[in-house]
Amino acid sequence: MSTTTTPATRWGRVRQALAPHAVGLALCVSYVLVLARTARHLGFARDEGFYFQAARSYAGWIQLLLTNRHEALTRGAIDAAWGINHEHPSLMKSLFGISWLFLHQRWHWISQESLAFRLPGMILGGVGLWLTYLFGRRAYGHREGLFAALALALMPRVFYHAHLDCFDVPVMTMWIAVLYCYWRSLAGGVGWAVMTGVVFGLALETKHNAWFVPFLVVAHFIATRGGDMKRDASRGNFPVPLALLAMAILGPLIFVGLWPWMWFDTLQTPAHGPGRLAEYVSFHTNHAYYNMEFLGYNYFRPPFPRTYSWGMILFTVPAITLVLAAIGLVARLPAMLREMSWVASLLPRVTERVPWLARVRGFGAARETDDTRGTATLVFMGFLVPLAPWFSAKTPIFGGTKHWFPAYPFLALMAGVGFVLVAKRFEATLRDRMTREWLPATVLGVVLLLPPLAQTAHSHPFGLSNYTPIVGGAPGAADVGLNRQFWGFTTGSLVPWFNAHAREGAGVYIHDTTYDSWEMMQRDGYLRPDLRAVWQVSEADFSIVHHELHMNEVDYQIWTAYQSPATAEVLAYDGVPIVSVYARAAQP
């Protein structure tokens, strides 16, 4: 008996397939709009200044490629354009430059130069929410995915970094994109495996911490499918996931192919010295150490505290998200143990010796209904592996929380699982009192997300100064000795004061702010163009101090030069001094 698929049925299937993406797209667009609207109030971080310069250079080469391909592909043109800031891959800087070139320079769709540079990073931040929702929805359900995406959006440090012309939020998105494709590929089919390799190449071309993704994939495969490898090989089946093979082949090809700087002297120079790939690796494996305060001590060189990453997660991620993630992790722990083949084989013997464990819900031998893709294990590893470098006392801590952002979508997914578990209990309690089944969970979700929303809104534009109530907020963090800020971006919050109080042509010692960042505030029309950035306190009419523990000496230098400790302005966040401005006394 044959069945006929009517147009209405086909359209119904299309709508069903597109519905998750409609929600994801709405999350993405909403987040990007909020980021774009709030970016004007956020000063420019140190690294942004370097990437503005690199993006302009790359955009110039792209423009040359469109007009004179032969000249653009010569080594001289490539080295001149791509030699700038080549310690980092080029994908995001290229996107920054393309956005600036077309949306600002040519088409004039974006009047603010900085917003044109920042927009690609914002879009990748929105895509990260989209993918988190998709992963959560497919793995667990709509409510889990939606709560996870919102919980990720409402992490103050993520919200701050999502504004920037930088790579940390984009590489977070790339991580979950790679692992989502890998997870889909485990259900079978070549398409998702190839997609995993392609996205992994883009991740490598985004930032160097993407090189840890293969370790995660291998560890997950061995943990969940390692016991089947020998059996598959004996049956003639390929014992290694196709996605891993695609990552090994396509990843490096895309990494080199999209980075013109790597097209020459890739592995070795003509003089038989180390090539550009080795130079890139060496830069990051031998990275310079920068200062960072943690619990009252300024760390400049190893050993660094092994508790740093855990402490900063506790002090900066909203407590509700952490509690729900813990609930979700505990709830999925039995499934995770059953997913790990070597653990599952031991479970029957363990329950024989410890009978009461057999009565624990979900604990015991594997079931036919268990997830064969090892989802619980993958989500847990997705959280843990990005944190792994900070288990070593030699890993620098100068970036604050940004270096382990790839862990946060998976933390949010565990929080989504925890939320639905709590919501189900809440629904059961109120089942006889609510006429609409969806209302209890909706009300609970709003109540639980309001504190992270309030904290995130309150953090702007001082995202790196914000801490959770667990440590007492910004004042409590200052009392226990946590870093107040870095990158010199808070100079942007002083713009109204300088515009109103600085005399014409005044020189300003801009301390930890780069010249490119200072200049961008003037190019965008925020800061008066007559004010000059200077590099010596002795040459400045005004001097800025960004308050960090290792910068206390700058205050003393200014007091000596100006013959006074009096400040002209102190910018504070919740009563905690963030930036101070000193003014040279007028000469009689």
Side-chain angles (χ1 to χ4, degrees), residues 408-433:
Y408 284 172
F410 301 95
L411 177 69
L413 285 171
M414 291 189 289
V417 172
F419 162 71
V420 171
L421 289 172
V422 174
K424 287 180 178 178
R425 293 291 183 93
F426 191 60
E427 287 171 334
T429 303
L430 298 178
R431 184 175 294 125
D432 297 333
R433 303 180 187 179

Side-chain angles (χ1 to χ4, degrees), residues 61-76:
W61 182 86
I62 291 168
Q63 194 166 17
L64 179 64
L65 182 67
L66 296 174
T67 56
N68 190 337
R69 183 181 303 176
H70 177 75
E71 182 181 350
L73 294 178
T74 62
R75 176 164 184 164

Side-chain angles (χ1 to χ4, degrees), residues 439-454:
L439 192 57
T442 303
V443 171
L444 180 65
V446 171
V447 169
L448 292 179
L449 287 171
L450 275 177
L453 173 62

Side-chain angles (χ1 to χ4, degrees), residues 226-458:
D228 300 331
M229 292 179 67
K230 183 176 180 180
R231 183 196 64 194
D232 289 344
S234 65
R235 295 177 178 178
N237 298 325
F238 191 66
V240 177
L242 290 176
L244 190 59
L245 184 63
M247 290 170 67
I249 296 173
L250 297 177
L253 290 176
I254 293 172
F255 170 71
V256 174
L258 291 180
W259 193 357
W261 175 253
M262 286 291 173
W263 294 354
F264 302 95
D265 299 339
T266 308
L267 300 177
Q268 194 175 59
T269 64
H272 306 292
R276 291 179 176 180
L277 181 60
E279 178 192 22
Y280 164 67
V281 173
S282 178
F283 176 85
H284 293 288
T285 55
N286 300 287
H287 200 290
Y289 297 119
Y290 300 137
N291 295 277
M292 182 61 68
E293 182 182 5
F294 184 64
L295 298 180
Y297 186 82
N298 183 68
Y299 290 92
F300 177 69
R301 58 176 62 89
F304 299 108
R306 298 177 190 272
T307 57
Y308 181 74
S309 58
W310 300 106
M312 289 299 290
I313 289 173
L314 179 64
F315 299 150
T316 62
V317 176
I320 286 174
T321 303
L322 295 179
V323 170
L324 291 173
I327 293 172
L329 174 61
V330 171
R332 301 303 299 168
L333 184 60
M336 192 189 312
L337 294 176
R338 295 197 304 272
E339 289 170 1
M340 297 183 186
S341 56
W342 61 275
V343 175
S345 63
L346 298 176
L347 289 178
R349 281 179 280 177
V350 172
T351 53
E352 284 179 10
R353 295 192 177 189
V354 189
W356 64 267
L357 280 177
R359 297 192 297 271
V360 177
R361 183 179 180 183
F363 195 92
R367 307 168 179 176
E368 292 184 2
T369 56
D370 280 348
D371 181 4
T372 58
R373 288 186 284 185
T375 304
T377 305
L378 182 63
V379 170
F380 178 67
M381 287 185 172
F383 168 69
L384 198 62
V385 170
L387 293 168
W390 286 271
F391 299 163
S392 168
K394 295 182 179 180
T395 305
I397 63 173
F398 60 83
T401 62
K402 72 189 184 77
H403 286 149
W404 60 77
F405 274 0
Y408 284 172
F410 301 95
L411 177 69
L413 285 171
M414 291 189 289
V417 172
F419 162 71
V420 171
L421 289 172
V422 174
K424 287 180 178 178
R425 293 291 183 93
F426 191 60
E427 287 171 334
T429 303
L430 298 178
R431 184 175 294 125
D432 297 333
R433 303 180 187 179
M434 293 282 188
T435 57
R436 300 181 185 275
E437 293 182 0
W438 53 267
L439 192 57
T442 303
V443 171
L444 180 65
V446 171
V447 169
L448 292 179
L449 287 171
L450 275 177
L453 173 62
Q455 185 180 341
T456 302
H458 181 64

Side-chain angles (χ1 to χ4, degrees), residues 31 50 61 250 341 367 501 552 563:
Y31 197 56
F50 304 136
W61 182 86
L250 297 177
S341 56
R367 307 168 179 176
H501 295 89
N552 286 345
Q563 292 295 295

Side-chain angles (χ1 to χ4, degrees), residues 87-224:
E87 63 266 24
H88 289 292
S90 66
L91 177 60
M92 290 311 302
K93 287 174 287 185
S94 300
L95 294 177
F96 299 154
I98 290 171
S99 175
W100 169 79
L101 176 63
F102 289 99
L103 301 184
H104 175 73
Q105 293 285 89
R106 284 196 180 183
W107 301 336
H108 307 292
W109 290 359
I110 297 179
S111 60
Q112 296 172 328
E113 192 171 358
S114 63
L115 182 57
F117 280 122
R118 284 173 160 180
L119 185 61
M122 295 178 182
I123 292 173
L124 264 292
V127 172
L129 303 188
W130 188 340
L131 289 171
T132 300
Y133 169 72
L134 283 183
F135 201 155
R137 175 171 177 141
R138 282 192 170 271
Y140 304 115
H142 165 72
R143 295 191 297 180
E144 288 91 341
L146 183 59
F147 190 91
L150 294 173
L152 178 62
L154 299 179
M155 294 182 187
R157 298 290 172 119
V158 172
F159 182 72
Y160 164 75
H161 283 277
H163 289 86
L164 305 185
D165 179 73
C166 290
F167 321 133
D168 302 292
V169 167
V171 81
M172 175 193 80
T173 296
M174 290 297 181
W175 267 69
I176 192 168
V178 175
L179 294 179
Y180 177 70
C181 292
Y182 163 69
W183 178 75
R184 294 292 302 271
S185 76
L186 294 177
V190 177
W192 282 106
V194 172
M195 184 63 71
T196 305
V198 171
V199 177
F200 175 59
L202 297 177
L204 293 178
E205 186 57 16
T206 300
K207 196 174 181 184
H208 63 276
N209 50 355
W211 290 100
F212 288 99
V213 176
F215 294 100
L216 191 159
V217 171
V218 170
H220 175 264
F221 179 74
I222 292 175
T224 60

